[in-house]
């Protein structure tokens, strides 16, 4: 049984989180640099709750972040994908595709490769007309990726909803039309 | 990779209640209001405060994800006669938890009707029927007298205490044999 699709890219497998991903989630949650702009480091119990919430999003909304695995090694390297906690009626600022990879997987184009597949899937299957990325002003690598995906800065200094009300983000985004028209 | 099929969450009927799987509509049909009630939330949230809707959604996603990853979890409880959302009850064992827990929490409009004991009886029966456990536990905030009273009525006893979310919690426990020997009406207290 599956709560969501499996997407295959040149180097990656994207699928909903599963039990065997937990050691990856738990390790990534301890990486200070990785977690600095995506909620902060977390102990093992909180990492499990985070992973379970992603699985729960898939079950409740029909989408959520994917676990990202390398096709060559099978290694879990992070999570990315469609994310809108609270659903359409909630206070999240839009239909997001977000990303976060563990430190050892950064700098190799994996986040971009995965994000492209996730955005394609979201526009094709979720009826979205627009995609956003919520990014901390100081998160230079993520801003660079958003721009590389063709997204533009759309709004500054948006306060996230509880339990992340201490966090302010800039919103990058683009329309489905722009995404479909972009050069591959 | 394997995840529990969420459509297989059982539907358990008691005299007045239905225990069932969660749907997104539960959030605005009662769960968000329940967590926005400080009287309910104070023993359920880490800061003892009411939760915003966005935070309640994350709780609900966690409950559903717990089912997906573990194959068991907390049921949504509804009132049979009206379909109203009543609360949550069931099995709970996130990573690093103190044991296999039977947990419960009801929205305040449904307190005082005997619903919590009715739901907890049914959930405990289901847990012991489904899983080869010698005992179940309930983690209860040291000041949560109402819940302690219910645990006692279920036949549970205090085994010790622990610090959870920075606050002292009692660990209530009941063995399979004691659970199965007690009457449906609970243990006289």
């Amino acid at each position: 049984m599956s709560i969501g699709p499996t997407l295959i890219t040149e180097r990656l497998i994207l699928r909903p989180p599963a039990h065997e991903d937990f050691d990856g989630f738990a390790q990534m949650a301890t990486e200070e640099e990785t977690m600095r702009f995506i909620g902060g480091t977390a102990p093992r119990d909180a990492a499990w709750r985070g992973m379970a919430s992603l699985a729960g999003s898939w079950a409740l909304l029909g989408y959520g972040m994917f676990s990202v695995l390398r096709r060559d090694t099978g290694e879990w390297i992070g999570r990315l994908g469609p994310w809108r906690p609270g659903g359409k009626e909630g206070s999240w600022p839009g239909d997001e595709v977000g990303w976060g990879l563990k430190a050892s997987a950064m700098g190799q184009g994996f986040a971009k490769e995965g994000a492209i597949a996730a955005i394609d899937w979201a526009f094709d299957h979720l009826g979205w007309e627009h995609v956003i990325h919520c990014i901390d002003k100081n998160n230079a690598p993520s801003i660079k990726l958003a721009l590389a995906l063709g997204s533009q800065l759309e709004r500054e200094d948006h306060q996230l909803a509880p339990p992340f009300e201490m966090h302010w983000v800039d919103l990058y985004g683009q329309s489905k039309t722009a995404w479909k028209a972009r050069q591959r | 990779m394997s995840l529990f099929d969420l459509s297989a969450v059982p539907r358990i009927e008691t005299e007045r209640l239905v225990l069932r799987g969660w749907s997104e509509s539960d959030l605005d049909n009662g769960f968000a209001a329940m967590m926005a009630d400080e009287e309910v939330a104070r023993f359920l949230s880490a800061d003892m405060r009411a939760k915003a809707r966005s935070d309640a959604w994350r709780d609900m996603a966690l409950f559903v994800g717990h089912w997906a990853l573990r194959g068991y979890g907390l049921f949504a409880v509804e009132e049979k006669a009206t379909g109203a959302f009543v609360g949550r009850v069931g099995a709970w064992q996130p990573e690093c938890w103190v044991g296999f827990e039977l947990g419960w929490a009801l929205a305040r409009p449904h307190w005082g009707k005997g619903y919590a004991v009715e739901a907890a009886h049914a959930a405990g029966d289901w847990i012991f029927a489904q899983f080869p456990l010698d005992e179940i536990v309930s983690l209860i905030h040291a000041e949560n007298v109402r819940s302690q009273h219910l645990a006692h009525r279920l036949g549970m006893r205090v085994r010790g205490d622990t610090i959870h979310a920075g606050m002292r919690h009692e660990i209530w426990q009941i063995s399979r044999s004691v659970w199965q020997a007690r009457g449906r009406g609970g243990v006289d207290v």
Side-chain angles (χ1 to χ4, degrees), chain B residues 130-141:
Chain B
Q130 291 293 313
F131 303 100
L133 300 164
D134 294 329
E135 64 160 34
I136 52 178
V137 298
S138 292
L139 193 63
I140 304 178
H141 192 286

Side-chain angles (χ1 to χ4, degrees), chain B residues 97-104 128 135-162 168-175 179 187 189:
Chain B
W97 206 238
V98 62
F100 197 109
E101 174 164 25
L102 169 61
W104 55 79
F128 277 121
E135 64 160 34
I136 52 178
V137 298
S138 292
L139 193 63
I140 304 178
H141 192 286
E143 294 163 21
N144 189 354
V145 176
R146 292 182 71 98
S147 235
Q148 291 162 13
H149 182 77
L150 175 55
H152 198 263
R153 199 171 153 202
L154 289 168
M156 305 182 95
R157 296 295 177 261
V158 179
R159 182 183 76 186
D161 57 17
T162 187
R168 194 169 78 81
H169 284 66
E170 295 176 349
I171 302 168
W172 290 69
Q173 178 269 356
I174 189 166
S175 68
W179 181 272
V187 175
V189 296

